[in-house]
């Protein structure tokens, strides 16, 4: 089995696990999320509700198509900088795209080949 096939298999399993986890009821998810992640999620939700941030799904809708040929893995949110970091995989390289949570503008891209 080639390395690319191994990566694809592992990523498929991971994506399936994330999809199943995200479909679980919120009260079931809460016990598995570290407190620091919970705080970041809460702060992102409050900023979104107050109209200070774009919804995460809107940011994904804008940015994911810009990273052609890469598999989207998900995102992290940093409440201190108000930056969403979207993660992608292309040719066994990880690409990180930092996006301003308020404007949706890409502020930095690193890793992988362009």
């Amino acid at each position: 089995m080639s390395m690319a096939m191994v990566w694809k298999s592992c990523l498929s399993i991971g994506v399936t696990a994330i999809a199943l986890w995200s479909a679980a009821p919120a009260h079931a998810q809460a016990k598995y999320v570290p407190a620091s992640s919970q705080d970041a999620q809460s702060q992102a939700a409050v900023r979104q509700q107050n109209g200070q941030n774009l919804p995460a799904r809107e940011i994904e809708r804008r940015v994911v198509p810009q990273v052609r040929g890469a598999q989207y893995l998900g995102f992290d949110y940093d409440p201190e900088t108000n930056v969403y970091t979207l993660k992608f995989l292309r040719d066994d390289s990880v690409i990180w795209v930092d996006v301003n949570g308020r404007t949706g503008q890409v502020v930095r891209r690193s890793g992988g080949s362009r």
Side-chain angles (χ1 to χ4, degrees), residues 6 11 13 18-20 27-28 33 39 46-47 49-51 53 67 69 71-72 76 78-79 94 100 104 106-107 113:
V6 170
L11 287 174
I13 292 168
I18 290 170
L20 290 173
H27 67 278
V33 178
D39 293 344
V46 167
R47 287 180 181 169
Q49 290 169 355
N50 291 337
N53 274 6
V67 189
Q71 180 180 5
Y72 177 55
D76 290 322
D78 182 356
V94 179
N100 180 303
V106 173
V107 293
S113 59

Side-chain angles (χ1 to χ4, degrees), residues 5 9 23 29 34 36 41 52 67 75 85 87 89 96 99 101-102 113:
M5 290 175 67
S9 295
Q29 290 179 14
S36 60
Q41 290 174 358
Q52 297 168 325
V67 189
F75 69 89
T85 300
K87 296 173 274 187
L89 182 67
W96 294 273
V99 180
R102 186 178 59 78
S113 59

